[in-house]
Amino acid sequence: MTGDPRPPRLRISRVSKHFEAVRALHDVSFDLAPGEVHALVGENGAGKSTLVGVITGLLEPDGGEVVLNGRPVHFRNPLQARAAGVAAVYQDPNLFPHLSVAENIATGRYPTSGPFLDRTTMVAQARARLEDLGFPLDPEQLVAGLTVAETQFVEIARAVDEDLQLLILDEPTSALTPGEASKLYDVVERLRAEGTTVIWISHRMEEIRELADSITVLRDGEHVRTAPAAELDDAEMIRLMVGRSVVLEQVARTEPLGPPRLEVENLTDPGVFEDVTFSVAEGEIVGVAGLVGAGRSEIAQAVFGLSPHLSGEVRIDGEPVVPRGPAAMVERGVAYLPEDRDAEGVIASMTIASNIALPSIRSLSRAGFMLRRKERELAARERTALSIKGEIDDLVSSLSGGNRQKVALARWLATEPRVLLLDEPTHGIDVGTKAQVHDMMRELARVRRMAILMVSSDLPEVLAVSDRVLVIARGRLVADLPIAEATSERILTHATAGAAR
Amino acid sequence: MSAASGVVARFGLAGGGAALRVRFIGVIVFQLLLMAVFTLARPRFASWDNLQSVLFTAAILAMAAAGQTLVVLTGNLDLSVGSIMGATAYVVFDLTGTMPALGPWVVLIAVLIGLVLGAVNGFLVTTLQIPSIVATLGTLSVYRGFVSFYANAKEVTVGELPPWTRSLAAARVLGLSSYVWIAVVLVIAVGVMLRGMPWGRELYAYGSNPRAAYYYGLSSTRIVVTGYIGAGIIAAVVGLLLGAQVGNINSLLASGIEMQVLAAVVIGGVSIWGGSGSVYGAALGAVVLATINNGLVLLGVQEYYRLLFQGLAIVAAVAVDALVQRRVLRATRRRSVGVAA
């Protein structure tokens, strides 16, 4: 790399990691110099989080190694990594809300006096560290009462140690106000001056410009480029992030669009998203793109009645609807497929047939009893139509992720909702099944005339399936692009520019 | 696919799958084993008289367990079952003492009391979001306290009971107590309802994955409350039957039975985490429990050994369930790891 005779602070050497059929990291190698701020960029799903997991011992790589200060290391968990001076702070702080700030900072390294906890020292240490970092919080208050930014500072205070070698910050400013963010910049500058290497994961160009000494771009789990920050301009960085190896086919539509089915006007959930207005027509698929945390899923969930503090108007087929809860919205013909299939999407301990029939059980019964033959006919029909692997009496837990998603979709084929909200419909699904799910979505929209709103972090998917693309940044709708005008570069430019306050 | 999930897939059944079936067969084997051991040790165990007595104890327990199953399937508990039984029996038979004209309407009154007490439990657990173990621990005391207050240290004596309830309690059909037949009918009825009605399907779905059920648009409140109401009604009716059999009813009738009922449900393979198991399993668990109690008495074993043995059976049953649960979860997780760390 450079002519520096010192060993790199951290060397990532040929690291690979697979999850089932999904390749999260493939043969990734790059170096981080001591005392540099290194921006790690890439689209959602490019492998950044997986790489952090591998470095901190959260995940075991399938191949390759991590070398810290010239010594290969194999952390079995984040605690071991911490002991060696490697710490990570995530987007969502992982603190103990019922304990005080000082107790959280001291967790695992409590100062003791004899067999007892030395409270005075613990509080003093915490206070000193917080002041050092420039956020004078009261160490004795409970974490439960802190703002998101404050909890993040507590996390950082916990991570910063005398012998901190490497600090990983995963999207640290996504929940911060500009003032709070600049405090964080100061901390990073100070750490750099002390010789700590910082990995800064971010989507925000202006942050990267302000802080980073060098930049590494990941794409589809592969290392694309590592370069000094001065050598990569914004346009080039975006080009490197989206340049694609996988291309998903678009399928030209022949069926016309109908009247608007879902209309959303000035939808606002304070602090989450604001003043969002759009509509989805009968037969149309509208993709919702944006960065993770921009508020995309929350918009879909709000339409499904999952936000209690909603204001604005929602109309289904022209009729105003108050999204009061899932049961009410299902009744109005709205269906929602959550991102976390296993926890929220399917009932894994029930059979394929029961899962498919569950939303239809009332129509499948007579005099209060279910007509099992009809239920099985329905399940068998949908199973064949969607080529779900497995018999209808098999448990859903025996299926792969892709087939579970097909089961989740199949039940809505049976009830025929008017509006279908999909949240990351192919997250973690292999490429072959992905194409099948896309075909199903087209069929649901074009032939069965549903209005589909699809939240997706997978840009090729958004471009392949959508008729129109909405771009959300920081809780605001920043672009509404007809598919003909949508490109990865344009979407990403809107998403990241909107992010720059 | 692992051996475990393979088996699970092959024996698929709504709300339980192979785990349930294997578990059910396991309980039957355990029951046969118990009977063999007791018969060898005390041949009198296998006498017709003794078996009848085992079945009678099992009948009361199995009916109460059927009600409890409706609650446990949703991932909750009903500790107030004994208090509902006692309260209903005392109040209803006290009424018949003063108003003999009520006749068979007493059953309707019992059903109403059970409905209300069950609905209160359901309200506490759903609307007020009190963990079921705490909520029903509370109503266990409240309901019992209410009877004590109402009874004012008096008993309802045999003479006040309607004669037809007494003769029903003493009746024999095909050589077995009428209660055994009532229990068989009740357990099958609940089983058919759970399996065949949309409501039953929702109960299993909710217990198995409340989050997913919510996204399906199912109302958790309705599901849990109907479970508690079902359990309350069944407990009330069982209380009536028990009262009719006992004769002299004081305010402590059926106190402490909730532990036996829960034990039967758990031994019978209804998952304490909800969503899996069957009412037939719970009834079988009641038979096992009744057998243990009877056999150990015949062996002349001390009371504390009996408790010890019963406790071991419960812990073993739950340990097996935990093992099964972990396997299912592992199979689920292995197939669902996403890209994100």
Side-chain angles (χ1 to χ4, degrees), chain B residues 11-103:
Chain B
F11 286 95
L13 250 181
L20 179 58
R21 202 172 283 200
V22 170
R23 188 69 174 65
F24 194 80
I25 293 168
V27 182
I28 291 181
V29 170
F30 183 60
Q31 168 69 12
L32 293 178
L33 217 67
L34 276 177
M35 290 174 71
V37 169
F38 286 142
T39 310
L40 283 178
R42 291 282 184 280
R44 195 156 70 80
F45 173 83
S47 71
W48 181 232
D49 262 4
N50 189 57
L51 288 181
Q52 275 184 319
S53 131
V54 170
L55 280 178
F56 183 82
T57 318
I60 295 279
L61 216 47
M63 286 187 278
Q68 186 73 235
T69 303
L70 300 180
V71 173
V72 176
L73 278 179
T74 66
N76 291 300
L77 291 176
D78 184 359
L79 296 181
S80 71
V81 48
S83 297
I84 295 181
M85 287 169 69
T88 313
Y90 193 96
V91 170
V92 168
F93 285 128
D94 185 52
L95 281 179
T96 56
T98 49
M99 286 181 280
L102 282 172

Side-chain angles (χ1 to χ4, degrees), chain B residues 276-300:
Chain B
S276 145
S278 77
V279 70
Y280 308 115
L284 190 59
V287 173
V288 169
L289 215 55
T291 306
I292 291 176
N293 289 344
N294 174 281
L296 293 184
V297 169
L298 285 189
L299 286 177

